[in-house]
Amino acid sequence: MPKPFKRVIEELSKLPGIGEKTASRLAFFILKSDLSYAKNLAHSIVFMRERLQLCSTCFNLSESPHCYICSNPQRDKSILCIVETPQDLAAIEKSRDFRGCYHILHGRLSPLEGITPKNLKIKELLERIGSENIQEVILAMNTNMEGETTALYLTKLIKPKGIKVTHLAQGIPMGADLEYIDEVTISKALKNRIEV
Amino acid sequence: MPKPFKRVIEELSKLPGIGEKTASRLAFFILKSDLSYAKNLAHSIVFMRERLQLCSTCFNLSESPHCYICSNPQRDKSILCIVETPQDLAAIEKSRDFRGCYHILHGRLSPLEGITPKNLKIKELLERIGSENIQEVILAMNTNMEGETTALYLTKLIKPKGIKVTHLAQGIPMGADLEYIDEVTISKALKNRIEV
């Protein structure tokens, strides 16, 4: 096997979930693609790594030490929305309905995968709650077992500090056909029904 | 989501078997790794793509238009060993027992995955057989269903041309414990037993 090929396999195999076999399939694909693809891929990787960092306050991806949300004086610093990933933050921002700030955990508790509180940005969240003037914490974890465990864990830590803790409403999503909605969602939607 | 991050996801998603979710997991990993890792990965990709090509004769990976095997005058050009991948070629070369040349198919027939004869270097193999003075073709496909289908397909194409077609012996591998060898291998080893 020529050395340049071996080296690509070696480097790709360091990525999570990429074994030697997958790495060699990817390397072949790159070999058969245009040179411009190899160059674009390589450039995008180095450019991202050099440009991006995590915001030192909320741990969002950022091109500067403070992300565009934390450094925006018009955002309400007293309401924190806690999300698992920067992708979740992006989804909430798209709604244009939240004017508070965020805190990104970078994952959710998952004992099976060995993800414990110290693997997440929970200590940093508690420090923020201790030092900033925070009135409300909105838990916006994903609505699966691990997300809900994480939310429960955070509630137990934050509520005793006398801070209002809320979570996103659970119910029927827009455009959904009731026929295809699972029973847990229906139960939640019934339980939390709203008077008109 | 910052643009540099989005761009990496876009480029990684073009790789086979890498969806947007996997791409974003990989991008995060790169973001959290040392800058040197991002640079090494990027450099290895471009270096490989610029340096390597497929040998125009046998389709092995090569740093020149003719690979080191095809351009070695000491290799026997009348015996061709047909393999699925350059990795298989490397495995055979390690034995140091084969002094002929190779032809790499770059895959095996797999109707389920949509891999038909025209996706493999079979036309090129037949052209070589037509133009070079080839006495023997050794089929060294992997010993699974798809490999054997490919071998059978090639046998039917090549044998009528009056060329000797052989395949690697199948039997008990070195260092194996008979207790753990599957029954098909035992059957083949019995059937092809050798008088001492």
Side-chain angles (χ1 to χ4, degrees), chain A residues 35-97:
Chain A
L35 175 58
S36 67
Y37 173 61
K39 284 187 172 171
N40 286 340
L41 173 61
H43 179 259
S44 71
I45 287 171
V46 174
F47 187 78
M48 173 189 78
R49 183 61 190 73
E50 283 180 336
R51 278 296 179 88
L52 292 190
Q53 46 191 305
L54 295 182
C55 169
S56 59
T57 307
C58 75
F59 303 99
N60 188 15
L61 295 178
S62 173
E63 298 191 43
S64 56
H66 296 283
C67 77
Y68 72 98
I69 295 174
C70 288
S71 53
N72 180 347
Q74 301 200 300
R75 304 289 298 223
D76 184 347
K77 302 259 180 306
S78 71
I79 306 182
L80 277 194
C81 181
I82 320 294
V83 292
E84 297 180 17
T85 64
Q87 291 93 313
D88 294 342
L89 178 153
I92 294 175
E93 281 297 289
K94 258 193 217 160
S95 77
R96 294 162 179 256
D97 252 337

Side-chain angles (χ1 to χ4, degrees), chain B residues 21-34:
Chain B
K21 259 208 144 150
T22 308
S24 112
R25 208 178 60 233
L26 301 182
F28 264 113
F29 178 87
I30 295 168
L31 212 56
K32 287 174 188 166
S33 306
D34 289 344

Side-chain angles (χ1 to χ4, degrees), chain B residues 53-104:
Chain B
Q53 46 190 304
L54 296 182
C55 170
S56 59
T57 307
C58 75
F59 301 100
N60 188 14
L61 295 178
S62 172
E63 298 191 42
S64 56
H66 296 282
C67 76
Y68 73 99
I69 296 174
C70 288
S71 53
N72 179 348
Q74 300 199 304
R75 303 290 298 223
D76 184 347
K77 303 257 181 304
S78 72
I79 305 183
L80 276 195
C81 180
I82 320 294
V83 292
E84 297 179 17
T85 64
Q87 290 94 313
D88 294 341
L89 178 153
I92 295 175
E93 281 297 289
K94 259 193 216 160
S95 78
R96 293 162 179 257
D97 252 337
F98 181 62
R99 299 301 303 159
C101 288
Y102 291 90
H103 189 90
I104 292 140

Side-chain angles (χ1 to χ4, degrees), chain A residues 1-5 7-18 21-22 24-35 37-54 60-63 68 85-88 90 106, chain B residues 1-5 7-18 21-22 24-35 37-54 60-63 68 85-88 90 106:
Chain A
M1 198 74 54
K3 263 193 198 151
F5 189 77
R7 242 193 84 207
V8 169
I9 292 183
E10 250 175 62
E11 297 294 343
L12 285 174
S13 304
K14 291 176 188 165
L15 292 169
I18 307 282
K21 259 206 145 155
T22 308
S24 112
R25 208 179 59 232
L26 300 183
F28 264 115
F29 178 87
I30 295 168
L31 212 55
K32 286 174 190 168
S33 308
D34 289 344
L35 175 58
Y37 173 61
K39 284 187 172 171
N40 286 340
L41 173 61
H43 179 259
S44 71
I45 287 171
V46 174
F47 187 78
M48 173 189 78
R49 183 61 190 73
E50 283 180 336
R51 278 296 179 88
L52 292 190
Q53 46 191 305
L54 295 182
N60 188 15
L61 295 178
S62 173
E63 298 191 43
Y68 72 98
T85 64
Q87 291 93 313
D88 294 342
H106 284 279
Chain B
M1 200 73 56
K3 262 193 197 149
F5 189 77
R7 241 193 84 205
V8 169
I9 293 184
E10 249 175 62
E11 297 295 343
L12 285 174
S13 304
K14 291 176 188 164
L15 293 169
I18 307 283
K21 259 208 144 150
T22 308
S24 112
R25 208 178 60 233
L26 301 182
F28 264 113
F29 178 87
I30 295 168
L31 212 56
K32 287 174 188 166
S33 306
D34 289 344
L35 175 59
Y37 173 61
K39 283 188 173 170
N40 286 341
L41 173 61
H43 179 260
S44 72
I45 287 171
V46 174
F47 187 77
M48 172 189 80
R49 183 59 190 74
E50 283 178 338
R51 278 298 179 87
L52 292 190
Q53 46 190 304
L54 296 182
N60 188 14
L61 295 178
S62 172
E63 298 191 42
Y68 73 99
T85 64
Q87 290 94 313
D88 294 341
H106 285 278

Side-chain angles (χ1 to χ4, degrees), chain B residues 78-85 88-89 92 98 101-105 107-109 120-122 125-126 129 134-160 163-170 188:
Chain B
S78 72
I79 305 183
L80 276 195
C81 180
I82 320 294
V83 292
E84 297 179 17
T85 64
D88 294 341
L89 178 153
I92 295 175
F98 181 62
C101 288
Y102 291 90
H103 189 90
I104 292 140
L105 298 175
R108 67 276 174 285
L109 293 178
L120 306 177
K121 303 290 184 193
I122 290 179
L125 172 62
L126 297 177
I129 290 174
I134 287 158
Q135 308 290 324
E136 181 179 351
V137 161
I138 304 173
L139 301 174
M141 270 79 254
N142 289 314
T143 53
N144 51 33
M145 181 104 98
E146 292 166 338
E148 301 205 334
T149 307
T150 309
L152 192 67
Y153 180 84
L154 291 177
T155 306
K156 283 191 178 164
L157 283 177
I158 301 168
K159 230 180 157 180
I163 290 166
K164 188 175 168 186
V165 178
T166 58
H167 67 72
L168 295 183
Q170 293 171 353
K188 299 244 183 192

Side-chain angles (χ1 to χ4, degrees), chain A residues 75-80 100-101 132-137:
Chain A
R75 304 289 298 223
D76 184 347
K77 302 259 180 306
S78 71
I79 306 182
L80 277 194
C101 289
E132 298 175 28
N133 177 27
I134 287 158
Q135 308 290 324
E136 180 180 352
V137 161

